[in-house]
Amino acid sequence: MTAKVLSGAEVAESVLGEVEERVRALAARGKSVGLATVLVGEDPASHVYVRNKRRTAERVGITSIHHELGADASQEEVESLIRSLNDDPDVDGILLQLPLPGDLDGQRAVEAISPAKDADGLHPMNLGHLVLDTPVLAPCTPSGSIRILDHYGIPTSGANVVVVGRSFLVGRPLAILLGSKDRNATVTLAHSRTRDLPALCATADILVAAIGRPEMITADYVKPGATVIDVGINRTEAGLVGDVAFDDVVSKAGAITPVPGGVGKMTIAMLMANTVSAAERRLG
Ligand code: NDP
């Protein structure tokens, strides 16, 4: 058996097509959509991520408003810039690129973002809405992973799901979303202290790897025919690899996302979807 490869690139294109239509519909009502990006410091990877986000925004008709601060910026400077964007009527979404350099407190800075403009869905208010089963702006990588399942018609209701990794950015919100009354999966959230991880993972109908360990998930973690969602992005000497050993797992799983071309493509697309949702809500 060879698994079906779930193309995040294809799903992202379909999400971006929908976003473009919604942006046009808002323009017809006299409302333009603006995404502010805030980049602090010189980290090359962060510069690449922000450039890609800005390019994608412009491609779908969202105005990109970019701000850069030096690595020596103070916490107050970062938060004061965010507050000015909260008050700016041309800004619908705010993206603060994380991590912040040095001693700057990224979590505190995220809390300065108005929840209504929180394009990344990482403000405690928006994370709280997930727990209440009333999502408003959901975090992009988790909602992008679910969108892939939806696109390929992979049911979550009643499915046994194991999510490996419990970060507030990916694993934990994804587990909450999958276990919601909308999704109805039975979810186990695994982490570095989980006992006998391979045996647990091998019970999953849907296995999600959000670990940050190159190719850790091998075929012995996978139930025959399971769906495997690889969130990991690891830069190795061999290039970009996921948390799943693709070549090993592809012959055992029923469906699998590749790296690159999988979940990574969805994160930016969902950022655009959140930005247009924020604009629609502001217009009422
Ligand atoms: P974190 O480092 O914040 O979290 C990693 C999680 O994996 C932790 O919960 C940790 O457990 C768990 N873990 C680490 N080692 C093991 C192990 N040996 N066995 C079981 N669990 C383990 O990472 P992120 O969630 O931020 O990112 C995870 C991966 O996803 C990374 O590769 C990252 O690059 C990628 N990523 C991809 C995105 C995309 O757009 N596709 C977006 C964001 C991230 P514990 O809590 O016990 O320490």
Coordinates of all heavy atoms in Angstrom, one line a residue, residues 141 164-167 169-170 191-192 197 210-213 216 231-234 243 263-264 267, ligand 1:
T141 N -1.7 27.3 12.2 CA -1.2 26.0 11.8 C -2.3 24.9 12.2 O -2.6 24.0 11.4 CB 0.1 25.8 12.5 OG1 1.0 26.8 12.1 CG2 0.7 24.4 12.1
V164 N 1.1 14.5 18.8 CA 2.3 14.5 19.6 C 2.9 15.9 19.6 O 3.2 16.4 18.5 CB 3.4 13.5 19.0 CG1 4.6 13.3 19.9 CG2 2.7 12.1 18.7
G165 N 3.1 16.5 20.8 CA 3.5 17.9 20.9 C 2.4 18.7 21.5 O 1.3 18.6 21.0
R166 N 2.7 19.4 22.6 CA 1.7 20.2 23.3 C 2.0 21.7 23.4 O 1.6 22.3 24.4 CB 1.5 19.6 24.7 CG 2.8 19.6 25.5 CD 2.6 19.1 26.9 NE 3.9 18.8 27.5 CZ 4.1 18.3 28.7 NH1 3.0 18.0 29.5 NH2 5.3 18.0 29.2
S167 N 2.6 22.2 22.4 CA 2.9 23.7 22.4 C 1.6 24.5 22.3 O 0.7 24.0 21.7 CB 3.9 24.1 21.3 OG 3.2 24.1 20.1
L169 N 1.3 26.9 20.5 CA 1.3 27.4 19.1 C 0.6 26.3 18.2 O -0.2 26.7 17.3 CB 2.7 27.6 18.6 CG 3.0 28.2 17.3 CD1 2.4 29.6 17.2 CD2 4.5 28.2 17.0
V170 N 0.8 25.0 18.4 CA 0.3 24.0 17.5 C -0.4 22.9 18.3 O -1.7 22.8 18.1 CB 1.5 23.3 16.7 CG1 0.9 22.4 15.6 CG2 2.4 24.3 16.1
H191 N 3.4 13.9 24.7 CA 4.5 14.9 24.8 C 5.8 14.1 25.2 O 5.8 12.8 25.2 CB 4.2 16.0 25.8 CG 3.5 15.4 27.1 ND1 4.2 14.8 28.0 CD2 2.2 15.4 27.4 CE1 3.4 14.3 29.0 NE2 2.1 14.7 28.6
S192 N 6.8 14.8 25.7 CA 8.1 14.1 25.9 C 8.0 13.1 27.1 O 8.9 12.3 27.2 CB 9.2 15.1 26.1 OG 9.0 15.8 27.3
L197 N 5.4 5.8 23.6 CA 4.8 6.6 22.5 C 4.5 5.8 21.3 O 3.4 6.0 20.7 CB 5.7 7.8 22.2 CG 5.2 8.9 21.3 CD1 4.0 9.6 21.9 CD2 6.3 9.9 21.0
A210 N 3.8 17.1 15.9 CA 4.2 18.5 16.0 C 5.3 18.6 17.1 O 5.0 19.1 18.2 CB 3.0 19.4 16.4
I211 N 6.4 18.1 16.8 CA 7.4 17.8 17.8 C 8.7 18.6 17.6 O 9.3 19.1 18.6 CB 7.8 16.3 17.7 CG1 6.6 15.4 17.6 CG2 8.7 15.9 18.9 CD1 6.9 14.0 17.1
G212 N 9.2 18.8 16.4 CA 10.4 19.5 16.1 C 11.6 18.5 16.2 O 12.7 18.9 16.6
R213 N 11.4 17.2 15.9 CA 12.5 16.2 15.9 C 12.5 15.6 14.5 O 11.5 14.8 14.2 CB 12.3 15.1 16.9 CG 12.0 15.6 18.3 CD 13.2 15.3 19.3 NE 13.0 15.8 20.5 CZ 13.8 16.6 21.2 NH1 15.0 16.9 20.7 NH2 13.5 17.1 22.4
M216 N 11.3 11.7 13.4 CA 11.2 10.8 14.6 C 10.1 9.7 14.4 O 10.3 8.6 15.0 CB 10.9 11.7 15.8 CG 10.9 10.9 17.1 SD 10.4 12.0 18.5 CE 8.9 11.2 19.0
V231 N 3.5 18.2 11.0 CA 3.6 19.6 11.1 C 5.0 20.1 11.2 O 5.3 21.2 10.9 CB 2.8 20.1 12.4 CG1 2.9 21.6 12.7 CG2 1.4 19.7 12.4
G232 N 5.9 19.2 11.5 CA 7.3 19.5 11.7 C 8.0 20.2 10.5 O 7.7 19.8 9.4
I233 N 8.8 21.1 10.8 CA 9.7 21.7 9.8 C 11.1 21.8 10.4 O 11.3 22.5 11.4 CB 9.2 23.2 9.4 CG1 7.8 23.1 8.8 CG2 10.2 23.8 8.5 CD1 7.3 24.5 8.4
N234 N 12.0 21.0 9.9 CA 13.3 20.9 10.5 C 14.3 21.1 9.4 O 14.3 20.5 8.4 CB 13.5 19.5 11.1 CG 12.5 19.1 12.1 OD1 12.4 19.7 13.2 ND2 11.6 18.2 11.8
D243 N 8.7 15.9 10.9 CA 8.9 15.1 12.1 C 8.7 13.6 11.8 O 8.8 12.7 12.6 CB 8.0 15.5 13.2 CG 8.4 16.9 13.8 OD1 9.5 17.3 13.6 OD2 7.5 17.5 14.4
V263 N 1.6 21.0 5.6 CA 1.0 21.9 6.6 C 1.6 23.3 6.5 O 0.9 24.3 6.6 CB 1.1 21.4 8.0 CG1 0.6 22.4 9.0 CG2 0.4 20.0 8.1
G264 N 2.9 23.4 6.2 CA 3.6 24.7 6.1 C 2.9 25.7 5.2 O 2.7 26.9 5.5
T267 N -0.3 27.4 6.8 CA -0.2 28.4 7.9 C -0.4 29.8 7.3 O -1.2 30.6 7.9 CB 1.2 28.2 8.6 OG1 1.2 26.9 9.1 CG2 1.3 29.2 9.7
Ligands
NDP1 P1 7.8 23.2 20.7 O1 9.3 22.9 20.8 O2 7.2 24.3 21.3 O3 7.0 21.9 21.2 C1 7.5 20.6 20.9 C2 6.6 19.6 21.6 O4 7.1 18.3 21.2 C3 6.6 19.7 23.1 O5 5.3 19.5 23.6 C4 7.5 18.5 23.5 O6 7.1 17.9 24.7 C5 7.2 17.5 22.4 N1 8.4 16.6 22.3 C6 9.7 16.9 22.1 N2 10.4 15.8 22.0 C7 9.6 14.8 22.1 C8 9.8 13.4 22.1 N3 11.0 12.8 22.0 N4 8.7 12.6 22.3 C9 7.4 13.1 22.4 N5 7.2 14.5 22.4 C10 8.3 15.3 22.3 O7 7.6 23.1 19.1 P2 6.4 23.7 18.2 O8 5.0 23.1 18.6 O9 6.5 25.2 18.1 O10 6.8 23.1 16.8 C11 6.8 21.8 16.5 C12 7.3 21.5 15.1 O11 6.3 22.1 14.2 C13 8.6 22.2 14.8 O12 9.3 21.4 13.8 C14 8.2 23.5 14.1 O13 9.2 24.0 13.2 C15 7.0 23.1 13.4 N6 6.1 24.2 13.1 C16 5.6 24.2 11.8 C17 4.7 25.2 11.5 C18 4.1 25.1 10.1 O14 3.7 26.1 9.6 N7 4.0 23.9 9.5 C19 4.3 26.2 12.4 C20 4.8 26.1 13.7 C21 5.7 25.1 14.0 P3 7.3 18.7 26.2 O15 6.1 19.6 26.2 O16 7.2 17.6 27.2 O17 8.6 19.4 26.2

